[in-house]
Amino acid sequence: MAVGARALLGSRGGSPASSPQLGGRSRSQPPPAPFGAPGHGFRRVTLTKPTFCHCCTDFIWGLAGYQCEVCNFMSHEKCLKHVKIPCSCIAPSLVRVPVAHCFGPPGHYKKKFCTVCRKQLESLAFRCEVCELHVHTDCVPFACSDCRQCHQDGHQDHDTYHHHWREGNLSSSARCEVCKKTCGSSEVLSGLRCEWCGILAHASCYIIVPPECTFGRLRNMILPPNCVRLVSRNFSKMHCFRISESLQTEPDEDEDVDGLTQGSVISTDSSKQTLKIFDGNDAVKRNQFRLISVPRIAKSEEVVEAALRAYYVNDDQQHYELQTFSQQTLFSDDIINRNDATEETNPGPVFREVVPEAWIIRAKPKDHEIIRIYPGWLKVGMAYISLRIDKESTTETVIKEVLLQLGRQTECLQNFKLLEVLMGSKQVQRMVLDDQEMILSRLKDIRKTSIRQMTQTRFYIVENNKSVVRVNLFVGGLPPQLSAEEYTNILKDDLAIKTNLLSLSHVYSMQGAVVLEMSCFSEAERIYMLAKDTMVNDKQLTATVIPEVLHTKLPQNCCPLLVFVNPKSGGLKGRDLLYSFRKLLNPHQVFELTNGGPLPGFHTFSQVPYFRVLVCGGDGTVGWVLGALEEIRHTLVCSEPSVAILPLGTGNDLGRVLRWGAGYSGEDPYSVLISVDEADDVLMDRWTILLDAQEAVESAENGILEPEPPKIVQMNNYCGLGIDAELTLGFHHAREEEPGKFNSRFHNKGVYVKVGLQRISHTRNLHRDIKLKVDQHEVELPSIEGLIFINIPSWGSGADLWGSDHDNRFEKPRIDDGLLEVVGVTGVVHMGQVQGGLRSGIRIAQGSYFRVTLLKPIPVQVDGEPWIQPPGQIIISVAGPKVHMLKKSKQKPKKPGSLKETRTDSVSVTEVGR
């Protein structure tokens, strides 16, 4: 767009385009040359209060400032020649590979700036769940589809990845890796950051950095995007990355979907008028418009240019006109304040008739046009080919001309097709054009639908290869322990699957889950949506889109991290961690446990030769993941992955033992990943508890009393009987009654205390109600109210129940010694003293095989999960192989600050500049 154009930018939020710090325009000097500023339309402005330069981040005072009238880029006059950041109006044309964004729910983001209009986010705004993009609600349609490419989808796939630069929203302490000077600011959108390796740079310095990205400090933990394949087509980014759809708020049909300005037109300045502008038929249909403010005495081309700027369109205004809803065009010759007008001339209004409420931008018809054809998928080493088309140009003639310019004119035209790609911020849509499609007519139809849409549309020439469609869908919630044929019949009855379009590639019978491999996109989408509303045996089905990990392409030293996050743990911290880990890693390696559990994650990594696991949650969540790992260990190539913990629960005893802390308190997620990478591998025992009740229960089939079948549970930390389990059970009941209140560690511990005080005077005499055998030897129990079997030296939020005193009767406890310690407590007071560090428990026994006989119903808890156990036998024994855990290293991770030590690439800046 021409420098110094005289139209105002369409505003955000419905008010006329203005900026509070701008007092007026200085017309005493002509606008400066654009220098290296790509696409900006700069105009000198008079500042009534200081603002910041987007180039050097210093103050701008008085008449020393220049502002882009499209994207609000501010600059000193001396900095204009150093401007490298393109204007928002041409940003879509610079996208290398179009990838749609994954917007979460609108929220308030303090000290963040909109990437489109560069203004601070003072109201509700959106952020991408995969990258660092932040935009106002009404700027979403103008954000270009430049999200991270996290997988291969058959379009422009490549094995070499370049830096993925994102501008601004850096901390004020951020430093450029090239010049080592501050490049971040909390006052303005400034500086660049690679969203894969994290390298920071000034806009004027980043061109010195080698283009290839090696993923920085976390390179060995990241699942490389060229090693992930997911052909999604009909699935949204939310589905592909398994992001809970409950996060999104779908607007109604009659509401403003994209957040564009709506409402009545009100002009607050008598010398100006405010107009509603639509950019095409689609905007009229949806009642989505932008407001522009123009002087009442204005040339018609100025109004057109203001309208184009409001929609970030970087075209010559001479090619456009404004029309009313009745299709009456704005008369181009009705211009007032002409240069040759005399003083006696009566100015009159800019329009011959009464100004209508709204106008539509229309493109004037053309007899010929220059279009760009991108040969990206052909990998020919050029960005695009410029081609002149006219009314006779068809898809076939365009393909023929492109092949001629590529030197491939001898190849058959039927082997190629022309693809129209709409690069929307929320979805990238692809459509194959018919061979006889009139290209000029097609462009006219696109512009008629939306002028903005035309700026986001590209044409690609692609080879007409028949690609094999393969979509993997993980379906859980089915009845367990059935055969593949039985699962197929259930899916036929409840989901009406078409067996000729899919097959069961994997069956997890014990877990009641299957993996469907489908050869039809529409069938995959139908089953995915239907499964979410289907129940089998009163149990809700779950459906998850599963990517394919190309394990043969993984680098030799790559050990990707499989991350499980329980968003219900730790209040809102789980949600924040999900967002952080998706940004720092590949989103395909981050799984939300409330969406199908841990099994989809383990299945995705089943062919990865070596990987680690990070579990973000409480001790119960850790036990859940370890249990799932034990059940499907035999299906994994890496059958013994090491497991790290980010404690989000209340007690977090296992996290304490492995040095991960008493609970997550907001540490930098990047530092957490560094700690996981530097952690030590240790072994830990796991135990199997067989619950064999003697009490008969009524059979559901014939009504006859039959013995209750034995149950098996796994134990990692401890198992309690008596008062310990009774308090846990009371807490469990309180949480079930009011689950919304149990979102803080402090409140949860307060409830534990309250439950304990209520039972402080109860007498149980547990030693009379149970019998204990340790390694086939009868053990006489002292007078106790609680019996606890401990596998780790932490109980009840960090208490040392066994104690540190030396005792010749027992070995020193370890988490990998194949032994359990048996401890008794005399009541609530004793438990409080243990947790206060005043006493320890009563040491009773140490062994590897235990049989407990219950003479009456007794409360039992295993790793914080309580229930009432009927009379019968409880047998505790070692459960198979030891599990590999990660223990946080005592050595503190290095502080960020150098290219070799942090998430940036290990590249010497001096070598880069040579």
Side-chain angles (χ1 to χ4, degrees):
M1 196 171 286
V3 175
R6 296 170 56 192
L8 291 174
L9 171 66
S11 66
R12 284 195 313 100
S15 58
S18 62
S19 185
Q21 72 269 22
L22 302 182
R25 302 180 184 274
S26 174
R27 299 186 182 271
S28 58
Q29 299 181 19
F35 296 104
H40 292 290
F42 282 114
R43 167 68 64 179
R44 181 189 289 274
V45 291
T46 302
L47 304 174
T48 58
K49 63 180 181 179
T51 186
F52 293 87
C53 175
H54 286 88
C55 193
C56 66
T57 70
D58 288 338
F59 279 116
I60 304 177
W61 298 82
L63 298 174
Y66 288 81
Q67 182 186 38
C68 173
E69 295 181 309
V70 178
C71 69
N72 300 309
F73 191 102
M74 297 295 301
S75 175
H76 293 103
E77 183 175 359
K78 64 179 181 180
C79 294
L80 285 175
K81 60 184 177 181
H82 301 298
V83 176
K84 302 297 181 183
I85 299 298
C87 181
S88 299
C89 65
I90 69 167
S93 64
L94 304 178
V95 174
R96 187 165 176 263
V97 179
V99 180
H101 291 283
C102 187
F103 292 112
H108 294 276
Y109 305 105
K110 297 180 179 179
K111 291 293 182 179
K112 297 292 184 181
F113 294 86
C114 176
T115 309
V116 176
C117 70
R118 313 185 71 88
K119 295 182 180 179
Q120 193 164 2
L121 302 178
E122 298 175 347
S123 57
L124 281 176
F126 287 98
R127 72 178 181 186
C128 179
E129 294 288 325
V130 177
C131 68
E132 279 283 0
L133 183 83
H134 291 75
V135 289
H136 291 103
T137 55
D138 56 330
C139 289
V140 170
F142 308 105
C144 55
S145 52
D146 61 345
C147 191
R148 287 192 298 164
Q149 186 180 14
C150 299
H151 59 263
Q152 294 188 349
D153 60 358
H155 302 295
Q156 290 185 273
D157 297 336
H158 48 83
D159 293 333
T160 301
Y161 273 75
H162 292 180
H163 290 293
H164 191 277
W165 297 106
R166 176 71 63 199
E167 184 192 8
N169 292 319
L170 306 178
S171 68
S172 55
S173 60
R175 291 192 174 274
C176 175
E177 290 295 337
V178 177
C179 66
K180 303 302 179 183
K181 296 180 180 179
T182 301
C183 63
S185 173
S186 60
E187 303 295 338
V188 73
L189 197 68
S190 176
L192 294 168
R193 174 184 178 271
C194 173
E195 294 185 310
W196 280 115
C197 67
I199 189 172
L200 308 173
H202 289 103
S204 57
C205 294
Y206 85 99
I207 56 176
I208 304 177
V209 180
E212 292 187 8
C213 180
T214 57
F215 302 107
R217 173 65 177 82
L218 303 177
R219 65 175 64 87
N220 293 333
M221 307 178 71
I222 292 177
L223 186 62
N226 63 306
C227 299
V228 184
R229 181 165 56 199
L230 178 61
V231 184
S232 54
R233 202 177 77 168
N234 293 353
F235 292 104
S236 70
K237 293 285 290 290
M238 299 290 282
H239 297 159
C240 294
F241 295 132
R242 304 166 305 280
I243 299 175
S244 296
E245 295 182 51
S246 58
L247 289 178
Q248 284 190 318
T249 54
E250 294 292 339
D252 297 330
E253 292 267 338
D254 56 347
E255 289 182 348
D256 183 13
V257 176
D258 288 327
L260 299 183
T261 307
Q262 291 199 49
S264 57
V265 180
I266 301 175
S267 179
T268 57
D269 189 343
S270 59
S271 64
K272 295 182 179 180
Q273 57 184 343
T274 305
L275 305 176
K276 288 198 302 186
I277 303 296
F278 296 93
D279 78 324
N281 294 346
D282 186 65
V284 172
K285 179 181 177 181
R286 298 174 180 270
N287 194 31
Q288 297 172 359
F289 55 83
R290 303 280 283 180
L291 294 181
I292 64 170
S293 179
V294 295
R296 293 188 179 276
I297 49 174
K299 295 181 179 181
S300 58
E301 58 264 27
E302 291 179 338
V303 181
V304 173
E305 188 158 6
L308 291 175
R309 289 179 182 271
Y311 281 94
Y312 296 87
V313 177
N314 184 36
D315 283 348
D316 190 342
Q317 54 86 19
Q318 295 181 2
H319 298 165
Y320 297 88
E321 61 187 3
L322 292 180
Q323 296 180 354
T324 66
F325 286 125
S326 60
Q327 303 302 306
Q328 295 297 320
T329 60
L330 174 65
F331 292 101
S332 59
D333 62 338
D334 190 6
I335 303 173
I336 64 170
N337 198 22
R338 299 179 184 180
N339 293 332
D340 57 348
T342 62
E343 294 182 0
E344 291 79 17
T345 302
N346 184 15
V350 64
F351 304 106
R352 289 189 175 179
E353 299 178 0
V354 178
V355 177
E357 181 183 8
W359 296 82
I360 309 174
I361 309 176
R362 293 297 191 194
K364 295 179 181 179
K366 300 180 181 179
D367 294 331
H368 56 81
E369 195 167 341
I370 303 295
I371 65 170
R372 294 177 177 180
I373 305 296
Y374 291 78
W377 283 276
L378 300 182
K379 303 179 181 179
V380 296
M382 62 178 64
Y384 59 85
I385 295 173
S386 296
L387 205 65
R388 181 187 176 93
I389 61 171
D390 53 30
K391 294 181 179 180
E392 304 299 324
S393 300
T394 64
T395 299
E396 188 175 358
T397 60
V398 167
I399 293 177
K400 184 176 181 179
E401 179 65 26
V402 171
L403 292 179
L404 179 63
Q405 295 196 31
L406 293 177
R408 304 177 65 169
Q409 62 272 18
T410 59
E411 301 191 34
C412 181
L413 294 180
Q414 281 69 35
N415 294 336
F416 298 89
K417 57 187 176 182
L418 195 62
L419 201 64
E420 178 186 312
V421 179
L422 174 58
M423 306 185 301
S425 60
K426 296 182 179 179
Q427 186 177 11
V428 176
Q429 303 177 22
R430 298 176 175 89
M431 182 180 68
V432 179
L433 297 182
D434 184 80
D435 288 344
Q436 301 306 316
E437 179 91 44
M438 307 301 295
I439 301 300
L440 201 60
S441 177
R442 179 60 189 163
L443 297 179
K444 180 180 178 181
D445 291 341
I446 295 174
R447 290 191 175 100
K448 191 173 182 180
T449 301
S450 171
I451 296 295
R452 169 180 53 87
Q453 182 175 318
M454 187 62 233
T455 65
Q456 299 174 337
T457 300
R458 284 183 181 178
F459 295 95
Y460 285 87
I461 182 172
V462 298
E463 291 185 273
N464 197 15
N465 296 327
K466 291 185 178 180
S467 58
V468 179
V469 176
R470 186 168 62 184
V471 181
N472 294 319
L473 201 63
F474 183 96
V475 179
L478 296 167
Q481 299 181 343
L482 298 180
S483 64
E485 184 178 354
E486 290 173 315
Y487 284 127
T488 301
N489 292 332
I490 290 177
L491 295 176
K492 282 183 179 180
D493 295 337
D494 293 280
L495 299 180
I497 63 171
K498 302 174 183 177
T499 54
N500 62 317
L501 298 177
L502 60 82
S503 61
L504 272 65
S505 62
H506 293 81
V507 176
Y508 295 99
S509 179
M510 293 295 296
Q511 296 80 19
V514 297
V515 178
L516 305 179
E517 184 176 298
M518 283 162 283
S519 59
C520 177
F521 285 115
S522 58
E523 177 69 2
E525 184 182 25
R526 185 187 68 83
I527 293 177
Y528 178 86
M529 302 305 296
L530 186 58
K532 293 180 174 295
D533 298 323
T534 302
M535 299 186 71
V536 177
N537 294 349
D538 297 327
K539 188 175 181 180
Q540 177 67 51
L541 295 184
T542 61
T544 308
V545 180
I546 297 295
E548 180 186 0
V549 178
L550 308 176
H551 58 278
T552 58
K553 298 178 66 174
L554 288 170
Q556 184 176 2
N557 297 327
C558 181
C559 176
L561 184 68
L562 175 58
V563 181
F564 293 111
V565 181
N566 188 349
K568 295 183 178 180
S569 299
L572 299 177
K573 293 186 177 67
R575 292 285 182 198
D576 294 337
L577 286 172
L578 272 170
Y579 171 69
S580 298
F581 287 140
R582 287 190 185 114
K583 288 192 309 177
L584 293 170
L585 303 171
N586 191 323
H588 287 299
Q589 61 190 111
V590 181
F591 287 79
E592 185 178 344
L593 286 171
T594 54
N595 188 10
L599 196 54
F602 284 126
H603 173 79
T604 303
F605 275 60
S606 60
Q607 299 302 311
V608 177
Y610 185 50
F611 67 92
R612 287 181 167 187
V613 179
L614 173 62
V615 182
C616 306
D619 288 339
T621 303
V622 176
W624 183 15
V625 173
L626 292 179
L629 173 60
E630 183 66 29
E631 290 176 351
I632 67 166
R633 185 189 302 273
H634 63 283
T635 67
L636 303 178
V637 173
C638 178
S639 59
E640 296 181 348
S642 300
V643 181
I645 300 172
L646 184 58
L648 300 180
T650 302
N652 302 315
D653 289 293
L654 185 55
R656 296 170 191 263
V657 171
L658 298 175
R659 297 202 194 108
W660 295 107
Y664 178 71
S665 56
E667 294 85 359
D668 180 16
Y670 173 75
S671 300
V672 172
L673 294 178
I674 295 297
S675 298
V676 172
D677 189 45
E678 298 176 347
D680 302 319
D681 198 309
V682 298
L683 295 175
M684 186 184 75
D685 298 323
R686 297 188 75 239
W687 299 81
T688 297
I689 301 179
L690 176 66
L691 305 168
D692 188 6
Q694 296 176 348
E695 189 175 272
V697 295
E698 184 176 340
S699 173
E701 296 180 359
N702 50 30
I704 301 176
L705 292 178
E706 296 179 355
E708 184 177 348
K711 296 179 181 179
I712 296 177
V713 297
Q714 302 293 328
M715 184 191 82
N716 301 307
N717 300 352
Y718 37 68
C719 170
L721 292 79
I723 182 61
D724 169 53
E726 188 176 340
L727 299 186
T728 306
L729 188 62
F731 172 83
H732 182 73
H733 288 160
R735 183 168 55 183
E736 284 186 333
E737 291 176 359
E738 297 179 295
K741 293 184 177 180
F742 289 77
N743 54 11
S744 79
R745 198 174 295 120
F746 180 79
H747 176 269
N748 294 353
K749 291 184 177 181
V751 174
Y752 265 116
V753 173
K754 180 180 178 181
V755 173
L757 293 175
Q758 292 173 347
R759 291 164 174 77
I760 195 169
S761 60
H762 293 190
T763 302
R764 293 158 193 83
N765 296 321
L766 181 67
H767 59 286
R768 298 178 182 177
D769 300 327
I770 65 174
K771 294 181 180 180
L772 174 64
K773 272 189 177 182
V774 179
D775 295 335
Q776 307 300 327
H777 297 290
E778 194 84 32
V779 175
E780 184 177 353
L781 295 174
S783 178
I784 56 175
E785 293 188 16
L787 187 68
I788 305 169
F789 300 83
I790 54 177
N791 183 44
I792 60 175
S794 179
W795 166 86
S797 301
D800 186 3
L801 191 59
W802 182 259
S804 58
D805 296 339
H806 178 70
D807 193 333
N808 293 327
R809 297 176 301 166
F810 308 109
E811 298 181 15
K812 184 178 180 180
R814 299 198 322 271
I815 63 174
D816 63 342
D817 57 5
L819 300 174
L820 280 181
E821 287 70 48
V822 185
V823 184
V825 292
T826 59
V828 175
V829 175
H830 188 185
M831 292 172 62
Q833 292 172 333
V834 170
Q835 291 186 331
L838 303 176
R839 292 178 60 184
S840 58
I842 302 173
R843 297 179 181 179
I844 295 176
Q846 188 180 53
S848 59
Y849 183 84
F850 307 86
R851 179 184 292 270
V852 181
T853 303
L854 305 185
L855 304 179
K856 60 181 290 187
I858 290 178
V860 175
Q861 68 98 356
V862 175
D863 292 343
E865 298 298 325
W867 70 90
I868 299 294
Q869 180 64 24
Q873 302 289 326
I874 298 179
I875 299 176
I876 306 176
S877 60
V878 176
K882 303 178 188 296
V883 63
H884 289 254
M885 304 297 293
L886 289 173
K887 190 173 186 178
K888 188 176 181 180
S889 175
K890 288 185 177 180
Q891 181 181 2
K892 294 183 178 180
K894 298 177 181 179
K895 295 182 179 180
S898 86
L899 194 62
K900 295 184 179 180
E901 295 175 345
T902 65
R903 66 188 84 174
T904 59
D905 293 358
S906 55
V907 179
S908 172
V909 175
T910 56
E911 294 177 358
V912 170
R914 294 175 183 173

